Amino acid sequence: MKKIAVTGGLGYIGSHTVVELQNEGFEVVIIDDLSNSEIAVLAGIEKITGKKPAFETIDVCDTEKLRACFKKHSHIDAVIHFAAYKAVGESVAKALEYYRNNVCGLISLLTVMREFECANIVFSSSCTVYGQPDVLPVTELSPIKKAESPYGSTKQMSEDIITDTVAAEKSLSAILLRYFNPIGAHPSALIGELPKGVPNNLLPYITQTAAGLRTELHVFGNDYNTPDGSCIRDYIYVLDLAQAHVVALQRMLGSKESGSLEIFNIGTGKGLSVLEILHEFMQANGVNVPYKIVGRRAGDIEQIWAETTRANEVLGWRAHTPLNEVLQSAWKWEQKLRG
Ligand code: UFG
């Protein structure tokens, strides 16, 4: 049985990926410092899969503790590296914290992986590396634009660090997954997104408004150059995204070659506007979500969606869950949270 370390494995995407990994028969060691996650997620994972993964409370920047963890859980075959800060707006105010956690954390991890001869890494990257693309949809070969925020900059730097390390080490293989906008929750409603305080992201804001926690959704701008004037994104079901990690990992572990670097866009290939997804949510769940159009949010990209041919053909993966099911899962999770 292959052993996989999952940093940030109690987070939103991490926890869904751990579920999929355990369902596929992988042995999982979660490394998470609980800075933006809850220990209760571990019980949710256990309930869904019938198996409790190993868990270590470690900040990946703490190289000594990471070493001890790799020693304790000997022969880790691969790492999926989620652990990172992820709020675009916050990153502007806390630039140093973002660079430290996201960049130093990766360097610390790669250092320990080399010491323990762990030669495979799947990295959580983001479509944020493309900035506002000139041509849509974006392919993996679309130009990398100057980052709009320290957060985006840490993702670009991390991609460069991994690319250069693969070139230098030869034995290390890496897959960079550029996620679009993950949404939804596990259909069991045992795990899902747990935003702290007022949500920054659209879907948790919609579900909290539907639940009556927020008065109304603010739609940031209807004067963009899009059909209905609101921004367009590629919303991908978190469980489809989790499955992309499993197939990426299987591809790496099944390959006889080392020293490869591959990049995949992980999205649906379809763009939806803020107003479209809002109306789809109301229709899928039969609930009303009061909303108001307000001014644009600083730093927002007008529109982006993925070209997913490479992931479809090379990984044999595609997003398959219908949007109404995804939106129902998000609402079911919100209702569960509200008891
Ligand atoms: N939006 C609203 N109202 C809200 C929240 C969001 O209208 O209350 C709009 C935004 O203006 C944007 C769209 O909904 O047009 C999506 O916004 P999100 O904040 O949910 O997502 P972003 O596309 O801004 O950012 C997300 C992740 C980032 C990641 C980026 C690209 O939060 O971490 O996708 O990968 F970098």
Side-chain angles (χ1 to χ4, degrees):
M1 192 191 281
K2 297 285 186 190
K3 196 187 290 180
I4 315 299
V6 182
T7 74
L10 291 186
Y12 175 43
I13 308 171
S15 58
H16 290 81
T17 302
V18 170
V19 163
E20 291 303 304
L21 287 170
Q22 294 203 149
N23 284 343
E24 284 296 318
F26 288 100
E27 183 182 343
V28 175
V29 179
I30 295 178
I31 298 170
D32 195 305
D33 68 354
L34 300 172
S35 60
N36 192 24
S37 59
E38 303 282 337
I39 191 69
V41 174
L42 206 52
I45 293 170
E46 188 181 2
K47 257 195 176 158
I48 296 169
T49 61
K51 197 175 167 211
K52 190 174 187 169
F55 173 69
E56 302 288 347
T57 316
I58 297 172
D59 173 350
V60 284
C61 296
D62 188 336
T63 314
E64 273 313 312
K65 279 196 180 158
L66 211 50
R67 255 184 209 117
C69 173
F70 271 67
K71 200 167 176 190
K72 178 176 167 191
H73 302 278
S74 52
H75 303 299
I76 290 172
D77 295 285
V79 175
I80 304 183
H81 182 42
F82 292 104
Y85 293 154
K86 61 168 186 178
V88 179
E90 184 187 64
S91 76
V92 178
K94 294 187 174 174
L96 199 52
E97 283 80 2
Y98 269 68
Y99 285 109
R100 180 190 168 277
N101 192 42
N102 295 8
V103 179
C104 296
L106 173 67
I107 293 172
S108 168
L109 178 64
L110 289 171
T111 305
V112 174
M113 285 176 67
R114 179 170 64 183
E115 286 172 14
F116 285 82
E117 295 178 358
C118 175
N120 300 286
I121 183 168
V122 177
F123 177 68
S124 287
S125 191
S126 165
C127 68
T128 198
V129 300
Y130 298 117
Q132 176 57 68
D134 299 324
V135 181
L136 285 163
V138 281
T139 76
E140 290 82 356
L141 298 176
S142 295
I144 301 298
K145 296 276 190 72
K146 184 174 162 25
E148 304 267 345
S149 67
Y151 162 77
S153 189
T154 67
K155 288 295 169 190
Q156 293 181 346
M157 284 182 182
S158 297
E159 287 202 355
D160 287 346
I161 290 167
I162 293 172
T163 305
D164 291 347
T165 307
V166 167
E169 308 280 322
K170 309 285 189 284
S171 59
L172 181 70
S173 293
I175 291 185
L176 313 179
L177 299 181
R178 292 180 179 157
Y179 314 150
F180 286 68
N181 288 53
I183 58 168
H186 194 271
S188 64
L190 289 166
I191 55 170
E193 196 168 2
L194 285 169
K196 279 194 174 154
V198 181
N200 289 309
N201 294 118
L202 180 61
L203 245 288
Y205 208 104
I206 289 179
T207 58
Q208 290 195 4
T209 308
L213 245 75
R214 316 267 159 223
T215 326
E216 59 189 1
L217 170 76
H218 289 171
V219 173
F220 298 134
N222 68 346
D223 57 352
Y224 285 99
N225 186 23
T226 60
D228 67 21
S230 64
C231 292
I232 293 176
R233 297 286 183 276
D234 183 333
Y235 295 94
I236 162 107
Y237 184 35
V238 67
L239 216 50
D240 288 345
L241 173 56
Q243 283 157 8
H245 293 78
V246 176
V247 290
L249 205 59
Q250 283 165 336
R251 175 175 169 82
M252 273 180 124
L253 295 174
S255 162
K256 288 191 181 60
E257 280 169 44
S258 58
S260 69
L261 178 101
E262 293 183 298
I263 304 177
F264 297 99
N265 281 343
I266 304 295
T268 64
K270 191 171 183 292
L272 280 178
S273 75
V274 175
L275 291 170
E276 279 173 330
I277 195 139
L278 173 64
H279 287 111
E280 292 281 348
F281 179 87
M282 293 196 265
Q283 201 169 25
N285 293 299
V287 288
N288 184 42
V289 179
Y291 70 95
K292 178 165 94 182
I293 309 285
V294 299
R296 293 181 176 196
R297 181 171 72 176
D300 262 340
I301 280 159
E302 181 175 274
Q303 45 187 326
I304 186 163
W305 65 93
E307 165 64 58
T308 60
T309 307
R310 186 182 282 180
N312 301 157
E313 290 180 357
V314 179
L315 290 179
W317 169 92
R318 68 177 61 240
H320 63 267
T321 311
L323 183 64
N324 65 327
E325 277 178 35
V326 178
L327 297 172
Q328 282 162 1
S329 76
W331 181 224
K332 187 175 168 189
W333 169 243
E334 183 67 50
Q335 288 174 298
K336 167 90 182 306
L337 281 179
R338 305 300 143 214

PDB file of all heavy atoms in Angstrom, residues 88-116:
ATOM      1  N   VAL A  88      -6.663  36.103  -0.911  1.00  0.00           N
ATOM      2  CA  VAL A  88      -6.021  37.095  -1.765  1.00  0.00           C
ATOM      3  C   VAL A  88      -5.919  38.452  -1.042  1.00  0.00           C
ATOM      4  O   VAL A  88      -4.835  39.034  -0.951  1.00  0.00           O
ATOM      5  CB  VAL A  88      -6.820  37.260  -3.087  1.00  0.00           C
ATOM      6  CG1 VAL A  88      -6.195  38.311  -3.979  1.00  0.00           C
ATOM      7  CG2 VAL A  88      -6.912  35.918  -3.808  1.00  0.00           C
ATOM      8  N   GLY A  89      -7.038  38.945  -0.511  1.00  0.00           N
ATOM      9  CA  GLY A  89      -7.065  40.269   0.125  1.00  0.00           C
ATOM     10  C   GLY A  89      -6.155  40.320   1.338  1.00  0.00           C
ATOM     11  O   GLY A  89      -5.363  41.260   1.514  1.00  0.00           O
ATOM     12  N   GLU A  90      -6.229  39.288   2.169  1.00  0.00           N
ATOM     13  CA  GLU A  90      -5.401  39.229   3.383  1.00  0.00           C
ATOM     14  C   GLU A  90      -3.915  39.252   3.039  1.00  0.00           C
ATOM     15  O   GLU A  90      -3.103  39.818   3.770  1.00  0.00           O
ATOM     16  CB  GLU A  90      -5.739  37.931   4.137  1.00  0.00           C
ATOM     17  CG  GLU A  90      -5.045  37.779   5.454  1.00  0.00           C
ATOM     18  CD  GLU A  90      -5.289  36.407   6.083  1.00  0.00           C
ATOM     19  OE1 GLU A  90      -4.862  35.378   5.498  1.00  0.00           O
ATOM     20  OE2 GLU A  90      -5.907  36.364   7.153  1.00  0.00           O
ATOM     21  N   SER A  91      -3.584  38.655   1.898  1.00  0.00           N
ATOM     22  CA  SER A  91      -2.166  38.553   1.536  1.00  0.00           C
ATOM     23  C   SER A  91      -1.544  39.929   1.281  1.00  0.00           C
ATOM     24  O   SER A  91      -0.342  40.113   1.437  1.00  0.00           O
ATOM     25  CB  SER A  91      -1.970  37.644   0.321  1.00  0.00           C
ATOM     26  OG  SER A  91      -2.330  38.286  -0.883  1.00  0.00           O
ATOM     27  N   VAL A  92      -2.378  40.885   0.897  1.00  0.00           N
ATOM     28  CA  VAL A  92      -1.869  42.239   0.646  1.00  0.00           C
ATOM     29  C   VAL A  92      -1.452  42.864   1.977  1.00  0.00           C
ATOM     30  O   VAL A  92      -0.400  43.496   2.078  1.00  0.00           O
ATOM     31  CB  VAL A  92      -2.949  43.101  -0.054  1.00  0.00           C
ATOM     32  CG1 VAL A  92      -2.456  44.520  -0.277  1.00  0.00           C
ATOM     33  CG2 VAL A  92      -3.362  42.447  -1.377  1.00  0.00           C
ATOM     34  N   ALA A  93      -2.262  42.645   3.018  1.00  0.00           N
ATOM     35  CA  ALA A  93      -1.974  43.227   4.339  1.00  0.00           C
ATOM     36  C   ALA A  93      -0.908  42.421   5.089  1.00  0.00           C
ATOM     37  O   ALA A  93      -0.212  42.962   5.935  1.00  0.00           O
ATOM     38  CB  ALA A  93      -3.257  43.291   5.155  1.00  0.00           C
ATOM     39  N   LYS A  94      -0.810  41.127   4.793  1.00  0.00           N
ATOM     40  CA  LYS A  94       0.119  40.270   5.550  1.00  0.00           C
ATOM     41  C   LYS A  94       1.120  39.617   4.603  1.00  0.00           C
ATOM     42  O   LYS A  94       1.287  38.386   4.612  1.00  0.00           O
ATOM     43  CB  LYS A  94      -0.672  39.183   6.285  1.00  0.00           C
ATOM     44  CG  LYS A  94      -1.582  39.717   7.382  1.00  0.00           C
ATOM     45  CD  LYS A  94      -2.185  38.563   8.144  1.00  0.00           C
ATOM     46  CE  LYS A  94      -2.981  39.034   9.337  1.00  0.00           C
ATOM     47  NZ  LYS A  94      -3.674  37.915   9.990  1.00  0.00           N
ATOM     48  N   ALA A  95       1.763  40.446   3.791  1.00  0.00           N
ATOM     49  CA  ALA A  95       2.645  39.912   2.742  1.00  0.00           C
ATOM     50  C   ALA A  95       3.729  38.990   3.306  1.00  0.00           C
ATOM     51  O   ALA A  95       3.929  37.875   2.808  1.00  0.00           O
ATOM     52  CB  ALA A  95       3.267  41.064   1.961  1.00  0.00           C
ATOM     53  N   LEU A  96       4.395  39.445   4.351  1.00  0.00           N
ATOM     54  CA  LEU A  96       5.520  38.667   4.880  1.00  0.00           C
ATOM     55  C   LEU A  96       5.058  37.304   5.402  1.00  0.00           C
ATOM     56  O   LEU A  96       5.710  36.287   5.162  1.00  0.00           O
ATOM     57  CB  LEU A  96       6.202  39.473   5.992  1.00  0.00           C
ATOM     58  CG  LEU A  96       7.615  39.057   6.355  1.00  0.00           C
ATOM     59  CD1 LEU A  96       8.508  38.987   5.121  1.00  0.00           C
ATOM     60  CD2 LEU A  96       8.202  40.040   7.367  1.00  0.00           C
ATOM     61  N   GLU A  97       3.916  37.306   6.086  1.00  0.00           N
ATOM     62  CA  GLU A  97       3.375  36.039   6.606  1.00  0.00           C
ATOM     63  C   GLU A  97       3.073  35.085   5.437  1.00  0.00           C
ATOM     64  O   GLU A  97       3.302  33.880   5.532  1.00  0.00           O
ATOM     65  CB  GLU A  97       2.081  36.269   7.398  1.00  0.00           C
ATOM     66  CG  GLU A  97       2.284  36.821   8.799  1.00  0.00           C
ATOM     67  CD  GLU A  97       2.543  38.316   8.837  1.00  0.00           C
ATOM     68  OE1 GLU A  97       2.538  38.957   7.747  1.00  0.00           O
ATOM     69  OE2 GLU A  97       2.759  38.851   9.930  1.00  0.00           O
ATOM     70  N   TYR A  98       2.544  35.634   4.331  1.00  0.00           N
ATOM     71  CA  TYR A  98       2.231  34.790   3.180  1.00  0.00           C
ATOM     72  C   TYR A  98       3.490  34.213   2.551  1.00  0.00           C
ATOM     73  O   TYR A  98       3.557  33.030   2.245  1.00  0.00           O
ATOM     74  CB  TYR A  98       1.386  35.566   2.147  1.00  0.00           C
ATOM     75  CG  TYR A  98      -0.087  35.377   2.425  1.00  0.00           C
ATOM     76  CD1 TYR A  98      -0.666  35.930   3.578  1.00  0.00           C
ATOM     77  CD2 TYR A  98      -0.891  34.606   1.596  1.00  0.00           C
ATOM     78  CE1 TYR A  98      -2.007  35.725   3.871  1.00  0.00           C
ATOM     79  CE2 TYR A  98      -2.241  34.396   1.885  1.00  0.00           C
ATOM     80  CZ  TYR A  98      -2.785  34.954   3.011  1.00  0.00           C
ATOM     81  OH  TYR A  98      -4.108  34.735   3.302  1.00  0.00           O
ATOM     82  N   TYR A  99       4.515  35.071   2.375  1.00  0.00           N
ATOM     83  CA  TYR A  99       5.755  34.552   1.776  1.00  0.00           C
ATOM     84  C   TYR A  99       6.394  33.522   2.694  1.00  0.00           C
ATOM     85  O   TYR A  99       6.869  32.485   2.252  1.00  0.00           O
ATOM     86  CB  TYR A  99       6.730  35.700   1.469  1.00  0.00           C
ATOM     87  CG  TYR A  99       6.313  36.484   0.252  1.00  0.00           C
ATOM     88  CD1 TYR A  99       5.811  37.776   0.346  1.00  0.00           C
ATOM     89  CD2 TYR A  99       6.392  35.909  -1.022  1.00  0.00           C
ATOM     90  CE1 TYR A  99       5.409  38.487  -0.778  1.00  0.00           C
ATOM     91  CE2 TYR A  99       5.994  36.606  -2.158  1.00  0.00           C
ATOM     92  CZ  TYR A  99       5.501  37.892  -2.026  1.00  0.00           C
ATOM     93  OH  TYR A  99       5.095  38.569  -3.141  1.00  0.00           O
ATOM     94  N   ARG A 100       6.383  33.807   3.993  1.00  0.00           N
ATOM     95  CA  ARG A 100       6.997  32.877   4.934  1.00  0.00           C
ATOM     96  C   ARG A 100       6.284  31.529   4.905  1.00  0.00           C
ATOM     97  O   ARG A 100       6.902  30.493   4.706  1.00  0.00           O
ATOM     98  CB  ARG A 100       6.962  33.452   6.356  1.00  0.00           C
ATOM     99  CG  ARG A 100       7.590  32.516   7.367  1.00  0.00           C
ATOM    100  CD  ARG A 100       7.367  32.942   8.810  1.00  0.00           C
ATOM    101  NE  ARG A 100       7.736  31.870   9.698  1.00  0.00           N
ATOM    102  CZ  ARG A 100       6.940  30.849  10.007  1.00  0.00           C
ATOM    103  NH1 ARG A 100       5.718  30.775   9.503  1.00  0.00           N
ATOM    104  NH2 ARG A 100       7.353  29.887  10.801  1.00  0.00           N
ATOM    105  N   ASN A 101       4.983  31.569   5.072  1.00  0.00           N
ATOM    106  CA  ASN A 101       4.257  30.307   5.176  1.00  0.00           C
ATOM    107  C   ASN A 101       4.268  29.537   3.848  1.00  0.00           C
ATOM    108  O   ASN A 101       4.554  28.343   3.810  1.00  0.00           O
ATOM    109  CB  ASN A 101       2.808  30.595   5.599  1.00  0.00           C
ATOM    110  CG  ASN A 101       2.081  29.336   6.014  1.00  0.00           C
ATOM    111  OD1 ASN A 101       2.626  28.494   6.704  1.00  0.00           O
ATOM    112  ND2 ASN A 101       0.848  29.198   5.572  1.00  0.00           N
ATOM    113  N   ASN A 102       3.957  30.236   2.771  1.00  0.00           N
ATOM    114  CA  ASN A 102       3.795  29.529   1.495  1.00  0.00           C
ATOM    115  C   ASN A 102       5.122  29.167   0.841  1.00  0.00           C
ATOM    116  O   ASN A 102       5.269  28.066   0.302  1.00  0.00           O
ATOM    117  CB  ASN A 102       2.949  30.368   0.531  1.00  0.00           C
ATOM    118  CG  ASN A 102       1.517  30.556   1.039  1.00  0.00           C
ATOM    119  OD1 ASN A 102       1.193  30.188   2.183  1.00  0.00           O
ATOM    120  ND2 ASN A 102       0.650  31.111   0.217  1.00  0.00           N
ATOM    121  N   VAL A 103       6.091  30.074   0.885  1.00  0.00           N
ATOM    122  CA  VAL A 103       7.366  29.809   0.201  1.00  0.00           C
ATOM    123  C   VAL A 103       8.330  29.047   1.120  1.00  0.00           C
ATOM    124  O   VAL A 103       8.862  28.007   0.731  1.00  0.00           O
ATOM    125  CB  VAL A 103       7.992  31.131  -0.323  1.00  0.00           C
ATOM    126  CG1 VAL A 103       9.324  30.837  -1.006  1.00  0.00           C
ATOM    127  CG2 VAL A 103       7.033  31.826  -1.292  1.00  0.00           C
ATOM    128  N   CYS A 104       8.512  29.545   2.346  1.00  0.00           N
ATOM    129  CA  CYS A 104       9.426  28.837   3.267  1.00  0.00           C
ATOM    130  C   CYS A 104       8.883  27.444   3.580  1.00  0.00           C
ATOM    131  O   CYS A 104       9.651  26.492   3.714  1.00  0.00           O
ATOM    132  CB  CYS A 104       9.630  29.614   4.559  1.00  0.00           C
ATOM    133  SG  CYS A 104      10.431  31.185   4.281  1.00  0.00           S
ATOM    134  N   GLY A 105       7.563  27.320   3.684  1.00  0.00           N
ATOM    135  CA  GLY A 105       6.953  26.014   3.950  1.00  0.00           C
ATOM    136  C   GLY A 105       7.302  25.015   2.853  1.00  0.00           C
ATOM    137  O   GLY A 105       7.661  23.867   3.120  1.00  0.00           O
ATOM    138  N   LEU A 106       7.223  25.458   1.613  1.00  0.00           N
ATOM    139  CA  LEU A 106       7.550  24.571   0.487  1.00  0.00           C
ATOM    140  C   LEU A 106       9.022  24.184   0.504  1.00  0.00           C
ATOM    141  O   LEU A 106       9.375  23.011   0.292  1.00  0.00           O
ATOM    142  CB  LEU A 106       7.188  25.265  -0.837  1.00  0.00           C
ATOM    143  CG  LEU A 106       7.635  24.514  -2.088  1.00  0.00           C
ATOM    144  CD1 LEU A 106       6.885  23.192  -2.251  1.00  0.00           C
ATOM    145  CD2 LEU A 106       7.459  25.374  -3.338  1.00  0.00           C
ATOM    146  N   ILE A 107       9.884  25.156   0.762  1.00  0.00           N
ATOM    147  CA  ILE A 107      11.336  24.867   0.774  1.00  0.00           C
ATOM    148  C   ILE A 107      11.664  23.872   1.888  1.00  0.00           C
ATOM    149  O   ILE A 107      12.425  22.919   1.692  1.00  0.00           O
ATOM    150  CB  ILE A 107      12.145  26.182   0.930  1.00  0.00           C
ATOM    151  CG1 ILE A 107      11.960  27.040  -0.334  1.00  0.00           C
ATOM    152  CG2 ILE A 107      13.627  25.894   1.186  1.00  0.00           C
ATOM    153  CD1 ILE A 107      12.525  28.435  -0.247  1.00  0.00           C
ATOM    154  N   SER A 108      11.036  24.082   3.041  1.00  0.00           N
ATOM    155  CA  SER A 108      11.248  23.176   4.162  1.00  0.00           C
ATOM    156  C   SER A 108      10.820  21.752   3.772  1.00  0.00           C
ATOM    157  O   SER A 108      11.536  20.772   3.990  1.00  0.00           O
ATOM    158  CB  SER A 108      10.437  23.715   5.341  1.00  0.00           C
ATOM    159  OG  SER A 108      10.350  22.790   6.369  1.00  0.00           O
ATOM    160  N   LEU A 109       9.654  21.658   3.147  1.00  0.00           N
ATOM    161  CA  LEU A 109       9.120  20.353   2.742  1.00  0.00           C
ATOM    162  C   LEU A 109      10.032  19.676   1.714  1.00  0.00           C
ATOM    163  O   LEU A 109      10.364  18.487   1.845  1.00  0.00           O
ATOM    164  CB  LEU A 109       7.708  20.552   2.155  1.00  0.00           C
ATOM    165  CG  LEU A 109       7.007  19.309   1.630  1.00  0.00           C
ATOM    166  CD1 LEU A 109       6.735  18.315   2.755  1.00  0.00           C
ATOM    167  CD2 LEU A 109       5.678  19.698   0.957  1.00  0.00           C
ATOM    168  N   LEU A 110      10.449  20.415   0.691  1.00  0.00           N
ATOM    169  CA  LEU A 110      11.304  19.823  -0.349  1.00  0.00           C
ATOM    170  C   LEU A 110      12.644  19.369   0.238  1.00  0.00           C
ATOM    171  O   LEU A 110      13.206  18.354  -0.183  1.00  0.00           O
ATOM    172  CB  LEU A 110      11.540  20.833  -1.487  1.00  0.00           C
ATOM    173  CG  LEU A 110      10.322  21.130  -2.378  1.00  0.00           C
ATOM    174  CD1 LEU A 110      10.623  22.299  -3.315  1.00  0.00           C
ATOM    175  CD2 LEU A 110       9.899  19.903  -3.184  1.00  0.00           C
ATOM    176  N   THR A 111      13.123  20.116   1.212  1.00  0.00           N
ATOM    177  CA  THR A 111      14.394  19.756   1.861  1.00  0.00           C
ATOM    178  C   THR A 111      14.260  18.412   2.574  1.00  0.00           C
ATOM    179  O   THR A 111      15.106  17.518   2.415  1.00  0.00           O
ATOM    180  CB  THR A 111      14.794  20.856   2.885  1.00  0.00           C
ATOM    181  OG1 THR A 111      14.835  22.101   2.207  1.00  0.00           O
ATOM    182  CG2 THR A 111      16.131  20.565   3.535  1.00  0.00           C
ATOM    183  N   VAL A 112      13.180  18.274   3.323  1.00  0.00           N
ATOM    184  CA  VAL A 112      12.983  17.026   4.075  1.00  0.00           C
ATOM    185  C   VAL A 112      12.683  15.873   3.109  1.00  0.00           C
ATOM    186  O   VAL A 112      13.159  14.752   3.286  1.00  0.00           O
ATOM    187  CB  VAL A 112      11.868  17.212   5.130  1.00  0.00           C
ATOM    188  CG1 VAL A 112      11.551  15.895   5.823  1.00  0.00           C
ATOM    189  CG2 VAL A 112      12.293  18.258   6.155  1.00  0.00           C
ATOM    190  N   MET A 113      11.904  16.154   2.068  1.00  0.00           N
ATOM    191  CA  MET A 113      11.631  15.102   1.080  1.00  0.00           C
ATOM    192  C   MET A 113      12.943  14.572   0.490  1.00  0.00           C
ATOM    193  O   MET A 113      13.119  13.373   0.316  1.00  0.00           O
ATOM    194  CB  MET A 113      10.730  15.644  -0.047  1.00  0.00           C
ATOM    195  CG  MET A 113       9.277  15.804   0.371  1.00  0.00           C
ATOM    196  SD  MET A 113       8.273  16.542  -0.939  1.00  0.00           S
ATOM    197  CE  MET A 113       8.311  15.240  -2.176  1.00  0.00           C
ATOM    198  N   ARG A 114      13.857  15.473   0.169  1.00  0.00           N
ATOM    199  CA  ARG A 114      15.146  15.041  -0.397  1.00  0.00           C
ATOM    200  C   ARG A 114      15.911  14.180   0.603  1.00  0.00           C
ATOM    201  O   ARG A 114      16.445  13.126   0.248  1.00  0.00           O
ATOM    202  CB  ARG A 114      15.979  16.258  -0.804  1.00  0.00           C
ATOM    203  CG  ARG A 114      17.324  15.860  -1.378  1.00  0.00           C
ATOM    204  CD  ARG A 114      18.045  17.013  -2.001  1.00  0.00           C
ATOM    205  NE  ARG A 114      18.393  18.047  -1.030  1.00  0.00           N
ATOM    206  CZ  ARG A 114      18.986  19.191  -1.355  1.00  0.00           C
ATOM    207  NH1 ARG A 114      19.262  19.459  -2.609  1.00  0.00           N
ATOM    208  NH2 ARG A 114      19.287  20.083  -0.428  1.00  0.00           N
ATOM    209  N   GLU A 115      15.928  14.608   1.853  1.00  0.00           N
ATOM    210  CA  GLU A 115      16.666  13.844   2.885  1.00  0.00           C
ATOM    211  C   GLU A 115      16.117  12.426   3.020  1.00  0.00           C
ATOM    212  O   GLU A 115      16.854  11.488   3.268  1.00  0.00           O
ATOM    213  CB  GLU A 115      16.547  14.554   4.232  1.00  0.00           C
ATOM    214  CG  GLU A 115      17.392  15.814   4.311  1.00  0.00           C
ATOM    215  CD  GLU A 115      17.108  16.624   5.576  1.00  0.00           C
ATOM    216  OE1 GLU A 115      16.472  16.109   6.523  1.00  0.00           O
ATOM    217  OE2 GLU A 115      17.512  17.786   5.595  1.00  0.00           O
ATOM    218  N   PHE A 116      14.796  12.302   2.855  1.00  0.00           N
ATOM    219  CA  PHE A 116      14.165  10.986   3.059  1.00  0.00           C
ATOM    220  C   PHE A 116      13.890  10.266   1.733  1.00  0.00           C
ATOM    221  O   PHE A 116      13.158   9.286   1.694  1.00  0.00           O
ATOM    222  CB  PHE A 116      12.891  11.140   3.896  1.00  0.00           C
ATOM    223  CG  PHE A 116      13.196  11.389   5.354  1.00  0.00           C
ATOM    224  CD1 PHE A 116      13.504  12.665   5.798  1.00  0.00           C
ATOM    225  CD2 PHE A 116      13.220  10.348   6.264  1.00  0.00           C
ATOM    226  CE1 PHE A 116      13.821  12.906   7.133  1.00  0.00           C
ATOM    227  CE2 PHE A 116      13.531  10.572   7.608  1.00  0.00           C
ATOM    228  CZ  PHE A 116      13.837  11.861   8.041  1.00  0.00           C
TER     229      PHE A 116
END
